[in-house]
């Protein structure tokens, strides 16, 4: 096979790029890199978990296309998304003799994508980045849109850049080795797209959630394609998050606070976002923004997906405090993304603490 057709384009002028979404597309990595005119050297960044499954096919495909591959393996874990590991990757890039046309290939979940992406954005003031996302979260969210970052001891993603990839390759088959828990957590972001942007997609999920959870290739391919196409449209309108891109933060205000209050241990990001979406939904109903029946449809879909919707025994005041410290709080006002319809959301600020606390209490279970 020497023609692989892209599924989507992200149109950003000189920074435009194709997304390939297809079972088995990993085999064509070398060919696609070559067709994009990139090389001759490649720095492939992965971790031992993902690399254990997919390094050999990725490397083989690149080498078959005549590319010289250097592999850098980062330990598995969010704590390695750091400046220290970025610095080690700069060393690897120098050793691999990467020049301005030689790509960094990120083979892994959002951690590898963000870290390798940060290195690609900064090494030689920017070299091409190829994203091969391997978690559902990375396939529908972090690999598209150009946000790259490392963590700082004082907070997550505080050091970063916008650096759009040159190419995104999404192989839904890779999700088969992902744990059920990681997969379900990623579904929270999938459901989010339905709520903020696309009511028909939400209805499709209601219909096909069982097949999606069984990793039916046809369904997962459609789901991923729809999510990436929504994200592409949003990023095309607002690359740097001054406007509509904010909507992608539905559920994240409360979600980030839940992650922080539990020391980033108890919940996967998507699980915290699911609980956050429930809180946002309750708030929207209280404000008269949203029909109660739509709120119930969301809660039902989250339940059927197997996502958590409540959190046991935390102090709602503490949760509120953490939200007010989130880095996205510009000039001290908390900005909430709330649903208006299934398929439409808006932003509101200056909700009273009382109102917010009332909704928070409803997602907190007594211990
Ligand atoms: N840049 C963005 O726009 C953006 C958006 C959302 C999240 N993020 C970032 O993404 C990160 C979270 O990403 P994540 O949820 O993908 O976590 P992750 O990268 O840590 O992956 C989760 C786990 O799954 C394993 N894994 C990955 N793919 C696998 C596969 N196919 N088979 C078996 N195991 C596999 C990983 O080794 C890891 O243990 C966070 O650092 C977050 O800040 C970035
Ligand atoms: Zn998220």
């Amino acid at each position: 096979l020497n023609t692989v057709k892209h599924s989507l384009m992200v149109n950003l002028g000189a920074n435009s790029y194709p997304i390939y979404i297809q079972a088995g597309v990993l085999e064509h990595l070398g060919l696609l890199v070559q067709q994009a005119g990139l090389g001759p050297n490649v720095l492939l960044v992965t971790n031992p978990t993902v690399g254990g499954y997919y390094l050999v096919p990725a490397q083989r495909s690149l080498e078959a296309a005549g590319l010289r591959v250097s592999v850098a393996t980062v330990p598995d874990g969010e704590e390695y998304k750091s400046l220290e590991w970025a610095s080690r990757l700069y060393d690897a890039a120098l050793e691999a003799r990467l020049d301005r046309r030689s790509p960094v290939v990120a083979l892994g979940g959002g951690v590898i994508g963000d870290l390798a992406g940060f290195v690609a954005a900064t090494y030689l003031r920017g070299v091409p980045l190829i994203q091969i996302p391997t978690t559902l979260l990375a396939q529908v969210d972090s690999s598209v849109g150009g946000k790259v970052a490392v963590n700082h001891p004082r907070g997550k993603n505080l050091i970063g850049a916008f650096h759009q990839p040159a190419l995104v390759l999404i192989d839904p088959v890779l999700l088969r080795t992902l744990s059920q828990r990681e997969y379900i957590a990623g579904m929270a972001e999938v459901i989010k797209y339905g709520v903020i942007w696309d009511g028909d997609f939400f209805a499709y999920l209601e219909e096909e959630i069982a097949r999606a959870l069984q990793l039916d290739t046809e369904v997962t391919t459609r789901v991923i394609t729809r999510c990436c196409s929504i994200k592409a449209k949003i990023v095309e309108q607002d690359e740097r998050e001054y406007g509509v891109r904010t909507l992608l933060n539905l559920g994240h205000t409360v979600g980030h606070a839940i992650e922080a209050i539990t020391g980033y241990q108890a919940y996967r990001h998507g699980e915290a976002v699911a609980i956050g979406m429930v809180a946002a939904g309750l708030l929207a109903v209280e404000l008269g923004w949203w029909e109660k029946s739509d709120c119930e449809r969301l809660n039902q879909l989250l339940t059927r997906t197997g996502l958590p919707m409540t959190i046991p025994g935390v102090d709602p005041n503490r949760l509120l405090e953490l939200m007010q410290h989130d880095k996205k709080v510009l000039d001290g006002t908390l900005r909430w993304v709330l649903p208006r319809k299934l398929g439409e959301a808006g932003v509101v600020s200056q909700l009273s603490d009382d109102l917010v606390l009332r909704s928070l209490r409803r997602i907190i279970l007594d211990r």
Side-chain angles (χ1 to χ4, degrees):
L1 183 72
N2 50 18
T3 53
V4 190
K5 213 184 138 355
H6 65 258
S7 317
L8 297 165
M9 270 310 281
V10 184
N11 296 300
L12 292 166
N15 295 327
S16 299
Y17 51 99
I19 307 177
Y20 293 84
I21 307 168
Q22 188 179 305
V25 75
L26 181 61
E27 283 172 51
H28 307 302
L29 170 62
L31 186 75
L32 292 170
V33 171
Q34 198 184 43
Q35 278 176 4
L38 303 177
N41 300 323
V42 174
L43 178 64
L44 205 166
V45 182
T46 190
N47 74 23
T49 312
V50 176
Y53 295 112
Y54 307 114
L55 179 58
V56 168
Q59 195 168 358
R60 198 177 282 154
S61 172
L62 289 164
E63 283 170 353
L67 295 147
R68 269 196 304 277
V69 184
S70 305
V71 177
T73 305
V74 178
D76 190 352
E78 178 79 35
E79 64 268 42
Y80 303 101
K81 203 178 104 175
S82 64
L83 274 176
E84 190 198 324
W85 275 89
S87 175
R88 295 190 192 200
L89 293 178
Y90 296 138
D91 294 342
L94 285 163
E95 217 147 281
R97 298 174 178 280
L98 283 207
D99 60 22
R100 304 279 302 268
R101 294 300 301 162
S102 297
V104 172
V105 175
L107 176 66
V111 167
I112 291 294
D114 277 13
L115 171 66
F118 179 77
V119 168
T122 46
Y123 176 74
L124 300 181
R125 297 195 186 85
V127 296
L129 168 66
I130 297 175
Q131 291 276 16
I132 309 177
T134 62
T135 62
L136 182 60
L137 175 127
Q139 294 192 342
V140 300
D141 189 1
S142 60
S143 66
V144 174
K147 282 192 186 177
V148 296
V150 294
N151 299 324
H152 184 275
R154 302 264 300 266
K156 283 192 59 174
N157 298 324
L158 291 181
I159 319 294
F162 285 93
H163 185 63
Q164 299 294 340
L167 208 59
V168 183
L169 264 69
I170 303 181
D171 190 338
V173 172
L174 308 194
L175 300 176
R176 292 199 184 142
T177 51
L178 189 64
S179 76
Q180 175 89 341
R181 184 174 179 188
E182 291 289 350
Y183 181 74
I184 288 175
M187 282 300 298
E189 306 279 7
V190 169
I191 292 168
K192 180 190 78 181
Y193 286 110
V195 177
I196 64 167
W197 203 261
D198 189 342
D200 291 341
F201 180 50
F202 188 91
Y204 174 78
L205 290 171
E206 289 179 312
E207 209 144 289
E208 295 292 8
I209 189 64
R211 290 215 289 159
L213 292 173
Q214 287 157 13
L215 280 178
D216 177 285
T217 303
E218 192 197 315
V219 173
T220 50
T221 305
R222 272 180 73 169
V223 164
I224 295 162
T225 305
R226 186 79 78 111
C227 293
C228 287
S229 127
I230 295 170
K231 180 133 188 201
K233 271 194 211 102
I234 291 175
V235 169
E236 284 166 3
Q237 287 176 36
D238 176 24
E239 188 179 354
R240 303 219 158 197
E241 197 173 327
Y242 297 115
V244 71
R245 192 164 179 172
T246 311
L247 299 183
L248 292 169
N249 293 322
L250 174 71
H252 284 61
T253 307
V254 174
H256 287 148
I258 289 174
E259 289 183 274
I261 207 171
T262 53
Y264 297 93
Q265 299 296 318
Y267 295 97
R268 298 295 307 147
H269 172 72
E271 295 168 348
V273 167
I275 303 169
M277 284 196 290
V278 174
L282 293 170
L283 256 174
V285 171
E286 284 243 359
L287 279 173
W289 268 40
W290 208 27
E291 297 274 356
K292 202 167 173 200
S293 59
D294 283 349
C295 182
E296 276 155 13
R297 275 175 72 187
L298 170 61
N299 293 353
Q300 233 180 52
L301 183 57
L302 294 171
T303 306
R304 290 172 63 207
T305 305
L307 283 159
M309 296 161 65
T310 53
I311 169 174
V314 297
D315 175 3
N317 294 293
R318 180 85 188 97
L319 217 47
L320 184 61
E321 244 172 73
L322 283 165
M323 286 182 236
Q324 284 156 347
H325 280 103
D326 198 292
K327 74 171 189 298
K328 298 250 165 64
V329 180
L330 311 165
D331 56 57
T333 40
L334 241 179
R335 296 164 81 242
W336 288 89
V337 179
L338 299 181
R340 283 189 160 288
K341 285 193 278 185
L342 282 170
E344 194 185 317
V347 177
V348 62
S349 53
Q350 308 198 312
L351 296 181
S352 79
D353 286 0
D354 270 0
L355 186 73
V356 172
L357 284 169
R358 215 171 326 133
S359 297
L360 289 180
R361 284 194 197 97
R362 292 175 63 191
I363 58 155
I364 298 171
L365 290 180
D366 293 331
R367 232 196 270 268

